[in-house]
Amino acid sequence: MRPIRLLPFAVLAMSLQAFAQPATAPANPVQRELIYCADQMSHEERAAYRAKMQATRSVAEKEALRTAHRRDMQERARAAGREGQCEPLGPRGPGFGAGQGRGPAK
């Protein structure tokens, strides 16, 4: 009869140990950059671009790859008649800034 009384305390002790352990974060989290005009690319194209970026070692090589990618995507958009769609929006996205609002406050 005595072990049955101790069972709730044992379960409580084991569960408290699980909560006391901090969540482990990856030692080196992967930070993914936003790919220019990614919405105009297929999944395979985005994966290939990321693989190329990971394969490059110097900052200059990465910048050259970004510049070439940007040029290629602008040419692709121009050829498809979507020129300017890859350009970033303002700092807050659509809906902010100059435009037709509700008018002046009265």
Side-chain angles (χ1 to χ4, degrees):
M1 185 139 173
R2 188 169 269 241
I4 294 175
R5 287 186 191 169
L6 296 177
L7 184 63
F9 294 111
V11 171
L12 178 64
M14 287 189 297
S15 63
L16 287 177
Q17 280 182 340
F19 285 115
Q21 294 175 352
T24 57
N28 199 3
V30 176
Q31 202 170 14
R32 290 170 57 165
E33 71 174 80
L34 294 177
I35 299 174
Y36 177 77
C37 212
D39 58 333
Q40 306 295 325
M41 299 169 69
S42 69
H43 176 72
E44 292 78 17
E45 288 173 322
R46 288 190 298 271
Y49 176 81
R50 286 188 188 106
K52 286 180 189 176
M53 287 299 280
Q54 288 176 350
T56 58
R57 297 291 172 217
S58 72
V59 175
E61 289 175 337
K62 288 184 185 289
E63 194 56 42
L65 185 62
R66 284 187 194 104
T67 302
H69 170 72
R70 186 178 191 92
R71 183 188 62 240
D72 293 344
M73 293 309 294
Q74 287 172 347
E75 288 175 13
R76 181 192 290 189
R78 193 174 306 116
R82 296 184 315 250
E83 192 170 0
Q85 281 191 349
C86 290
E87 295 306 317
L89 299 171
R92 294 185 183 169
F96 295 95
Q100 292 186 3
R102 293 189 333 210
K106 294 181 182 179

